[in-house]
Structures are given as C-alpha cells and as structure tokens.
Amino acid sequence: MDLNIVLLGPPGSGKGTQTERLAAEFGFTKISTGDLLREAVRNGTDLGTKAKGYMDAGKLVPDALVIGLIKEKLKGSKGGVILDGFPRSLEQAKALDEVLKVGLAVDLKVDQEALIKRLTERRSCRKCNAVYHLEFNPPRKEGVCDKCGGELYQRSDDTEKVVRERFATYTERTAPLTEFYRRKGVLRSVDGMGSIDDVYKRIVAAIKAA
Ligand code: AMP
C-alpha cells in the first residue's frame, strides 16, 4: 500500500505496538525515531551521545538531529511508510511535509491514568524492539521475547517520574500537531482504549477510508 501514515498520540498510547502490526500485515515500511535513537545510544554513536540526556529526562531530542535522521531513513524507503514517534513538533511536521506526502494522521485518544499503567508495566525487547505489557500482552515466558528470544527490559524512560515529564512534553510540543494535520484534511481521531485488537481494527478502518 502506498499510503504514508503518521501515528500521533501520547507516550504509551500504543503507537509502537500498532505500527509493528500494520507494517507486518500491510507491508508498510516502519520507521520509529525512538527505536533509531535507542539504537544510536546503544552503539555509542555521535548522535546517541547527543540524544541520551534528552531521552533520559523525557525531553525531545533537538529537531535538527531527528530531522536529519528521518530524512536519511526516508531516502532508502519504498512504498508506503508508517512513522511511529515522528513528527513530534511543528518544526518536524513542516520538515516532513517537504519530503513526504502524508495521507493519514492517526491521533490515538487515551486517558492519562491508563497510560501510566501501560508505560510503567511495559517491557521491550533489547534485540528486536517488540513491546509487551505485563498484564495486557505478556510474553509467553517471563523476561523473554516471543518473537526472537531476546531479553526483555524496562526502558529507563518508562519510570513514573520520566513518564510524567514525557506527558508534559507531549502536551506542549506534540499535541498542537493534530491541528496541523486537521487543516490538511488528513487527521483521523481513533479511540485508543480497549484491547490491542480493537484499536487495531479501528486504525485499519481509518486506513481503508483514507
Ligand atoms: P519513543 O520511543 O517514541 O517514546 O521515544 C523515546 C524518546 O526518544 C522520547 O522521549 C524523546 O526523547 C526521543 N524521541 C523520539 N522521537 C523523537 C522525535 N521525533 N523528536 C524528538 N525526540 C524524539
């Protein structure tokens, strides 16, 4: 499918989980700036060294760094793209506009207390970045990724203190993007509460209507 999609929604609203599934089932190229930045931190690259402090504090990594990263990734991509965690500021949305035609912006609507539970009980795979939830989507074997056998860990920014900071960052910098995409006529609000399957079906319906 040639549609290009951005997934908006606060931290923990299910962007990563849904992106993974949409990419697998529709053949979209998945690009997650959070995953790319964490990989850069793990590999100790120049980008990783610059990004780490912001990430640990729940702040946005400076636009210039992230925009450079995404442009590099988009160069090699073919077919429809699904972006998880980008854009996160108006500057990023404008930069994206110059290089990619976004046909659908999905805004996942969720309530904040539910998000805190989702995030603090989230576990991620060190190897393939798959995400689990201790209660709602547990791995078959504790601490081990179903998909690749990698080790599951809690992201350092999934603690309650940093989660609250990430929400504040979202409200200030990212929430205004819904207006940007509404004006372009591509925004669809999707109820992000309920099971992973329910939310997935709602997103698929939005894709079919796009
Ligand atoms: P995520 O995995 O999408 O929750 O991202 C984790 C962290 O990476 C965020 O809290 C930011 O510090 C950083 N990050 C990810 N995507 C972006 C972006 N588009 N712009 C700035 N910082 C980002």
Side-chain angles (χ1 to χ4, degrees), residues 33-34 37-38 54-55 58-61 66 85-86 88 92 155 157 166:
T33 41
L37 289 168
R38 278 184 290 280
Y54 297 98
M55 296 171 76
K59 306 262 188 222
L60 291 189
V61 172
V66 186
F86 186 96
R88 259 177 153 104
Q92 293 178 15
R155 279 169 43 178
D157 60 353
R166 289 164 66 200

Side-chain angles (χ1 to χ4, degrees), residues 8-10 13 107-111 178 182 189-193:
L8 303 172
S13 56
D107 184 26
L108 288 173
K109 297 281 190 198
V110 272
D111 98 69
T178 51
R182 182 174 294 123
S189 284
V190 168
D191 178 3
M193 301 306 292

Side-chain angles (χ1 to χ4, degrees), residues 5 10 15 32 36 41-43 46-47 50 57 63-64 68-69 71 81 87-88 92 105 113 127 137 154 171 181 205:
I5 304 175
K15 299 188 296 292
S32 158
L36 293 170
V41 171
R42 265 199 303 273
N43 294 338
D46 191 34
L47 171 66
K50 287 182 182 140
D63 285 330
L69 178 68
K71 282 192 172 163
V81 171
R88 259 177 153 104
Q92 293 178 15
E113 283 314 304
K127 219 159 122 194
N137 178 29
Q154 182 179 38
T171 306
Y181 288 112

